[in-house]
Amino acid sequence: MSTDASLFPLHFFDCEIFCEKCKHIRKFKIFSQEKYDKNYGKSEIPPNKPLFCKCAVCDSQVIYATNEFAELQDEPAPELCKIWGMGNLEAGDLVFHPKEMLCVVESINKIAGSLPQITLRNQNKETIETLFEEFTEGEQNSFYRLFPQSAENSRIGDRIYHTETERVGTVIGLEFNGGQAIVIQFETGSIEKCHCEKNAYYLTDDILELNARWRCRDLPYSQNLKINSHSKILSVNCLLPNFSAICELEKVISSIPQARCFIMHVFLKKFDINPNLIYSELLRKCIYLCCCNVEIKNQEAYITGFYNARNVSKSIHNALQKIPIKKIHLDIRMRADIKTIKTINENDRFIKISKMGKEVHIDGWVKSEKEKKKAKLRAFLHSFKFKIENHLRVIN
């Protein structure tokens, strides 16, 4: 597991998780392979992406996926028991009532202009009439997952109601080695490992490996593939020719059912990839980014800039398919106020003069520093603006 740490360079967030070595809840530092900003909106954090989690006390390491943390999810999953908060209750739902414990929703009477009236039936077959507002006091937006009825998709941070012991707790850890189990801290403070009900369709690591190898059998580089599964996490090692092959392999591996996530250990033949090659390829494919900057680090491309057209992100990935890079990191943002003033495409030179806000920007490439300086004068003559940002690249 320690060899995977270098693949997760970015500190994402911290979380309280049960440490198997410490046998206690510890603070874990969570690292990611890509930049995920929780402030952008949780819906923008992709599911099934691996996260490297390290105990702050004993340095124990474990891999979880983005969809296995409750705090990274925007909306409750359908299998969540709808208790109080933002849940849309329906007749037949199993719910946990703070006073009546486990109940069934018999009916919901929605009255225009007022809160809905809810009829519950408890385990003693008694009928309870209540208002929806009673579900919002104290713990707003709180949901309980029923255990063991709905435990298979539990996430760290989920509230659990144990229907057999009639106890309430919080999920603090997950296990998938040979069978599925969740670690729960109950309200009494006790910590217990609860095994999920055996599912005939639970795929073991051996089956996942066989499935992955079978699905990759027709790939031209299948002989170089090394695939392993640990706790239902697929680890893939391979020597690949370009970015297109990486995308193809990721698509196949991500289709494996019941795999929690996958970690790619991709190697490419050493090529001298110049940022100018990436930049000129984008322009040749008619992809224009204002204030564009391209960097290459460890055979990965980092691209920044602004755009005003749709599907630019997808277009960039398509344009760079044949280039031998491992990954594309995009930090690009939409700006509706980008206006093209002049486009000059002549003598193997490309100059695009744009206005963004109150500033004028020059993007593209020329053959010399002298031409780059002259382009600023041309931009002034077309815009009559003194504040001009010159981003032209000199490409011979």
Side-chain angles (χ1 to χ4, degrees), residues 228-242:
N228 296 294
S229 181
H230 178 70
S231 296
K232 302 184 72 170
I233 298 171
L234 290 170
S235 180
V236 184
N237 291 264
C238 191
L239 177 65
L240 297 175
N242 51 37

Side-chain angles (χ1 to χ4, degrees), residues 286-297:
C286 299
I287 301 171
Y288 309 117
L289 293 174
C290 190
C291 308
C292 181
N293 183 56
V294 180
E295 294 183 11
I296 302 293
K297 297 179 183 178

Side-chain angles (χ1 to χ4, degrees), residues 49-314:
K49 294 296 182 180
L51 298 174
F52 183 84
C53 312
K54 185 176 182 180
C55 176
V57 176
C58 71
D59 290 338
S60 292
Q61 302 161 357
V62 64
I63 299 291
Y64 284 116
T66 48
N67 55 293
E68 292 174 346
F69 287 93
E71 67 175 291
L72 299 184
Q73 308 306 307
D74 221 357
E75 297 293 338
E79 60 270 13
L80 281 178
C81 182
K82 305 174 181 66
I83 311 302
W84 51 62
M86 302 302 292
N88 296 318
L89 291 174
E90 296 179 359
D93 280 343
L94 281 173
V95 300
F96 171 76
H97 190 277
K99 295 179 181 178
E100 302 295 336
M101 309 304 283
L102 190 64
C103 300
V104 176
V105 177
E106 283 212 338
S107 64
I108 301 175
N109 185 15
K110 297 180 180 180
I111 304 173
S114 63
L115 294 168
Q117 294 179 336
I118 304 170
T119 302
L120 304 176
R121 187 173 293 278
N122 63 17
Q123 297 298 293
N124 296 325
K125 307 300 182 182
E126 298 170 338
T127 300
I128 303 102
E129 299 287 343
T130 182
L131 294 176
F132 189 76
E133 63 182 349
E134 294 183 23
F135 287 82
T136 61
E137 296 177 1
E139 298 186 48
Q140 196 167 15
N141 301 332
S142 180
F143 294 82
Y144 286 71
R145 189 187 294 274
L146 299 185
F147 184 91
Q149 291 91 330
S150 181
E152 289 186 0
N153 297 308
S154 296
R155 305 163 305 190
I156 295 173
D158 273 344
R159 295 281 282 167
I160 286 284
Y161 176 70
H162 200 296
T163 57
E164 295 175 357
T165 61
E166 298 183 349
R167 292 182 296 168
V168 172
T170 304
V171 177
I172 57 174
L174 306 172
E175 286 191 2
F176 298 88
N177 192 10
Q180 190 170 342
I182 63 177
V183 184
I184 303 174
Q185 183 183 37
F186 290 100
E187 288 185 336
T188 58
S190 63
I191 297 175
E192 297 181 20
K193 186 183 295 183
C194 301
H195 294 273
C196 300
E197 294 179 340
K198 288 187 177 180
N199 188 335
Y201 300 101
Y202 186 90
L203 300 183
T204 63
D205 286 323
D206 290 340
I207 297 298
L208 285 175
E209 287 181 19
L210 289 173
N211 194 350
R213 292 193 184 100
W214 183 82
R215 287 173 183 249
C216 296
R217 68 193 186 282
D218 294 328
L219 297 177
Y221 39 81
S222 60
Q223 298 299 320
N224 299 325
L225 274 176
K226 294 181 180 179
I227 303 175
N228 296 294
S229 181
H230 178 70
S231 296
K232 302 184 72 170
I233 298 171
L234 290 170
S235 180
V236 184
N237 291 264
C238 191
L239 177 65
L240 297 175
N242 51 37
F243 183 67
S244 175
I246 295 174
C247 294
E248 181 184 35
L249 181 57
E250 286 184 346
K251 184 177 180 180
V252 173
I253 297 298
S254 63
S255 69
I256 309 297
Q258 292 195 28
R260 295 166 56 206
C261 57
F262 61 92
I263 301 174
M264 301 282 286
H265 303 258
V266 175
F267 302 93
L268 295 173
K269 293 181 180 179
K270 288 292 183 180
F271 288 94
D272 185 17
I273 301 299
N274 191 301
N276 288 338
L277 173 64
I278 303 287
Y279 184 75
S280 57
E281 189 65 22
L282 293 179
L283 290 181
R284 288 190 180 99
K285 296 295 176 62
C286 299
I287 301 171
Y288 309 117
L289 293 174
C290 190
C291 308
C292 181
N293 183 56
V294 180
E295 294 183 11
I296 302 293
K297 297 179 183 178
N298 300 321
Q299 292 183 289
E300 297 182 5
Y302 294 79
I303 303 173
T304 63
F306 300 90
Y307 66 94
N308 63 352
R310 294 183 178 180
N311 300 321
V312 169
S313 177
K314 183 178 180 181

